[in-house]
Amino acid sequence: MRLLFWNTYKNPKINDYIASIVQEKNIDILITAEYSADENELSQKLIEIGIPLTKTCNIGCNRISMWTNFINVSPATQNNHYSIQIINNEFIICGLHLPTDLHGDYSNERHLEMTSIINDVNNLSSEINSKKIILVGDMNEMPYNQGCLNADGFHGLPVLNAQDSKYRTVNGKCYKKYYNPMWNLFGNFHYPPGTYYYNNSRLHNPMWYMFDQVIISQELIPFFNNENLEIITDCYLGDLFDNKMHPNKNISDHFPIFCEILEEI
């Protein structure tokens, strides 16, 4: 299962770039945020490159769009900020785009939304008897911020093995652990050091942000292809960055991310 997520910055001419990456990476599941281009045009371009993807039902969620080549797809919870789909009766995939802090501090509201999401996917996991969970999207916060890391949020740990205990107890309550591999892409040992760049005059500003993330359940760790986790910076059409090596806002202000879940090991 090869998955691509991209916040497309409401670019009405983004479809050629999407199709280019879908072709290059042989994508099975495409998830977008802030998509405002022509869906019919995108579908036709995907057919032309030989990778026809069908849009999933996401009535009730206008911020996330999802396309896939899987036939057995059932919609679960659809919310203004997230769309949950069940694939092949076993994979629970939640595409999300959470509130931003660019116009004020919405960390509490975002954390509340994350608590709702994790409750929904955990309840659905019990309902369909599957623990194969993927959370992917624009979190609008860093992996080390409260919503992504807190036990009552996504609980996305930087280090987690398949053999580790599945829960952590805080004040007598058990919380399921998740793994966030995006921690491995931080820093300047490789380019880029994040998926979003923003420079302002505030004292606290890392400038590079890892807003776009994939977080997986512990049960998927043996199947997660760590070597293929990637922040994409170019495609067949050319670079996705500008002359300062920041995301090119003429294309999108975010870099897309790519990951792969192996069917067997």
Side-chain angles (χ1 to χ4, degrees), residues 19-75:
S20 177
I21 298 173
V22 167
Q23 182 179 28
E24 181 177 350
K25 298 296 184 183
N26 194 23
I27 296 298
D28 299 303
I29 300 174
L30 164 68
I31 303 175
T32 62
E34 296 189 15
Y35 179 83
S36 63
D38 188 327
E39 292 181 357
N40 293 328
E41 179 190 64
L42 177 59
S43 295
Q44 183 59 40
K45 288 181 182 295
L46 296 177
I47 290 172
E48 290 172 359
I49 64 174
I51 307 179
L53 303 179
T54 302
K55 192 172 186 292
T56 64
C57 176
N58 66 325
I59 297 175
C61 179
N62 297 322
R63 297 167 69 96
I64 290 293
S65 298
M66 190 180 305
W67 291 262
T68 178
N69 59 14
F70 290 98
I71 297 174
N72 185 359
V73 181
S74 303

Side-chain angles (χ1 to χ4, degrees), residues 179-245:
Y179 173 55
N180 187 345
M182 301 302 294
W183 287 83
N184 296 296
L185 301 184
F186 268 125
N188 63 351
F189 287 174
H190 49 76
Y191 173 82
T195 63
Y196 181 83
Y197 182 86
Y198 182 61
N199 187 9
N200 60 20
S201 58
R202 299 174 67 178
L203 290 176
H204 179 80
N205 180 13
M207 294 173 29
W208 276 102
Y209 293 83
M210 194 71 74
F211 281 165
D212 307 274
Q213 303 171 46
V214 56
I215 298 175
I216 63 173
S217 57
Q218 188 173 6
E219 289 75 10
L220 281 179
I221 291 176
F223 304 94
F224 189 80
N225 190 341
N226 289 294
E227 294 181 358
N228 273 3
L229 177 65
E230 181 183 359
I231 300 171
I232 297 174
T233 60
D234 57 40
C235 65
Y236 291 146
L237 294 181
D239 296 329
L240 303 181
F241 51 82
D242 59 21
N243 57 6
K244 295 182 179 179
M245 302 297 286

Side-chain angles (χ1 to χ4, degrees), residues 99-108 110 140-141 202 211:
T100 177
D101 287 339
L102 289 181
H103 308 292
D105 183 2
Y106 284 88
S107 57
N108 290 332
R110 189 168 53 247
N140 263 317
E141 72 173 45
R202 299 174 67 178
F211 281 165

Side-chain angles (χ1 to χ4, degrees), residues 141-205:
E141 72 173 45
M142 297 287 243
Y144 50 73
N145 288 141
Q146 288 190 3
C148 284
L149 185 57
N150 275 23
D152 63 340
F154 286 166
H155 209 183
L157 301 174
V159 179
L160 185 62
N161 296 312
Q163 300 79 19
D164 293 343
S165 61
K166 291 180 171 54
Y167 297 91
R168 188 163 66 91
T169 301
V170 181
N171 291 332
K173 184 173 181 179
C174 288
Y175 296 93
K176 181 177 172 60
K177 296 176 181 176
Y178 284 79
Y179 173 55
N180 187 345
M182 301 302 294
W183 287 83
N184 296 296
L185 301 184
F186 268 125
N188 63 351
F189 287 174
H190 49 76
Y191 173 82
T195 63
Y196 181 83
Y197 182 86
Y198 182 61
N199 187 9
N200 60 20
S201 58
R202 299 174 67 178
L203 290 176
H204 179 80
N205 180 13

Side-chain angles (χ1 to χ4, degrees), residues 3 5 31 93-96 134-139 213-214 257:
L3 190 151
F5 172 80
I31 303 175
I93 299 183
C94 177
L96 53 96
I134 303 170
L135 311 173
V136 60
D138 182 355
M139 312 293 184
Q213 303 171 46
V214 56
I257 60 173

